[in-house]
Amino acid sequence: MRRIRSVKRSVRFPVSSTLLRRLALASIIANVAIVVTGGAVRLTASGLGCPTWPRCTDDSYTTTAEMGVHGVIEFGNRLLTFAVGIIALAVVVAVLAHRPRRRGLLPLAVGVLFGIPAQAVIGGITVLTNLNPWVVGLHFLASMAVIAAAYALWRRIKEPDGPAAPTVPAPLRTLAWITTAVSASVLVVGTWVTGSGPHAGDHGAARNGLDPAAISQVHADGVFLLIGLSVALYFAFRAVGAERAARAAAVLIAVELGQGVIGFVQYFTHLPGVLVGAHMLGSCLVLLATLGVLWATRERLPATPEAPAAPAAQRVVAAA
């Protein structure tokens, strides 16, 4: 009787799949938002608004009047990290409370949770290195990794627990993975472009020494390749009747074209802050749309129930 009561208490407030999925979506949105607000810190030259880390100043964990508006902006972004972490923690708790327990969800949820402080530490290193452009780029890419993990969790919640089965031929799965790799490389080169440009996060911060025009051309070439691969995926998916994958590829193409327009306009208008911020948001959307294509090339089948163990007497007869 005591054991039954303890079990009932443990599942008294089970978390539904709908609530769990909403929390996971909130985690994606929060992680995208902190990328945008982090961009605002850099675009307002507030990267050293708090000149040290983990404190804001040598004597205070919070911003002071002497730090001015730049201190408020930088410290405000640091506070948002706690909000994003709280959401990630809520997702972990919800995964643990969800019934029935789902294998594969907890590692992803924990990965997102621990990825946030790891990303914050890299952010602290950027401050301690006076906004070294290579570390700033790593900070952005760490956020992309957390967003990817949060997206994987969000998609995994809705899937059954059986094995994954392809929905398109193997060559198209390979092409989708190649497209994903090119998308990731475009993000990496984009950080090099940023590190060569004028928005350093502080007027005294160093640049990476790359020629802005040359590295921007490399970035643009990667974008052209990515769009070409995405268009090829769309028509290939249509040819084999994979409509779900074709729709995902169409979304990716639309996001890429929008991001490309912003990129070209910002380049030829000398990188106004508003467009640079929009381009950072677009980078997150390109990543999510790319992952959407990858997920559309496979589906999980319902889990096969395990056969109950045969009674001992039957096992003896079978052995005989």
Side-chain angles (χ1 to χ4, degrees):
M1 180 64 72
R2 188 174 300 170
R3 177 177 176 81
I4 293 174
R5 287 177 179 172
S6 65
V7 172
K8 286 184 177 180
R9 281 197 297 269
S10 67
V11 296
R12 183 177 298 172
F13 302 108
V15 173
S16 67
S17 295
T18 300
L19 176 57
L20 184 55
R21 191 167 165 81
R22 287 174 179 173
L23 285 172
L25 178 60
S27 183
I28 297 173
I29 294 172
N31 279 286
V32 171
I34 203 167
V35 169
V36 176
T37 59
V41 171
R42 181 165 56 82
L43 295 170
T44 57
S46 302
L48 295 178
C50 288
T52 189
W53 188 87
R55 295 174 183 264
C56 185
T57 69
D58 291 335
D59 302 317
S60 174
Y61 281 98
T62 62
T63 186
T64 63
E66 291 78 9
M67 309 313 299
V69 65
H70 295 306
V72 172
I73 293 172
E74 163 65 7
F75 183 69
N77 190 63
R78 293 187 183 188
L79 287 180
L80 283 177
T81 301
F82 290 98
V84 177
I86 290 171
I87 294 174
L89 178 60
V91 173
V92 172
V93 172
V95 167
L96 292 173
H98 181 66
R99 295 294 184 276
R101 284 287 181 86
R102 299 279 310 283
R103 66 174 182 266
L105 297 187
L106 187 59
L108 289 171
V110 171
V112 174
L113 177 62
F114 282 95
I116 292 168
Q119 187 259 14
V121 169
I122 298 173
I125 295 173
T126 65
V127 173
L128 297 177
T129 57
N130 294 317
L131 305 181
N132 180 291
W134 300 106
V135 183
V136 171
L138 180 61
H139 189 212
F140 173 80
L141 295 175
S143 294
M144 295 296 102
V146 174
I147 291 172
Y151 179 85
L153 175 63
W154 179 66
R155 292 298 298 260
R156 185 70 181 83
I157 292 169
K158 193 174 182 180
E159 296 176 330
D161 288 328
T167 58
V168 299
L172 295 189
R173 281 275 288 167
T174 301
L175 184 58
W177 275 107
I178 293 173
T179 304
T180 302
V182 172
S183 182
S185 69
V186 167
L187 290 176
V188 172
V189 177
T191 66
W192 302 349
V193 176
T194 298
S196 70
H199 297 293
D202 185 81
H203 298 298
R207 301 284 73 205
N208 60 21
L210 299 175
D211 179 68
I215 197 61
S216 294
Q217 183 61 58
V218 172
H219 183 57
D221 291 342
V223 171
F224 291 140
L225 176 60
L226 178 59
I227 293 175
L229 288 171
S230 302
V231 171
L233 278 175
Y234 172 77
F235 285 108
F237 289 152
R238 289 291 302 274
V240 298
E243 293 300 323
R244 184 168 69 97
R247 288 194 297 270
V251 170
L252 175 59
I253 293 168
V255 173
E256 289 167 348
L257 291 176
Q259 175 75 334
V261 169
I262 294 173
F264 277 108
V265 172
Q266 72 169 4
Y267 181 80
F268 290 109
T269 56
H270 307 292
L271 304 174
V274 172
L275 289 182
V276 174
H279 200 59
M280 293 185 70
L281 173 60
S283 297
C284 299
L285 298 180
V286 168
L287 171 64
L288 293 171
T290 302
L291 294 175
V293 171
L294 199 58
W295 249 260
T297 62
R298 32 73 81 204
E299 62 180 358
R300 284 192 177 272
L301 304 175
T304 303
E306 296 182 2
Q314 293 182 12
R315 291 199 298 270
V316 172
V317 171

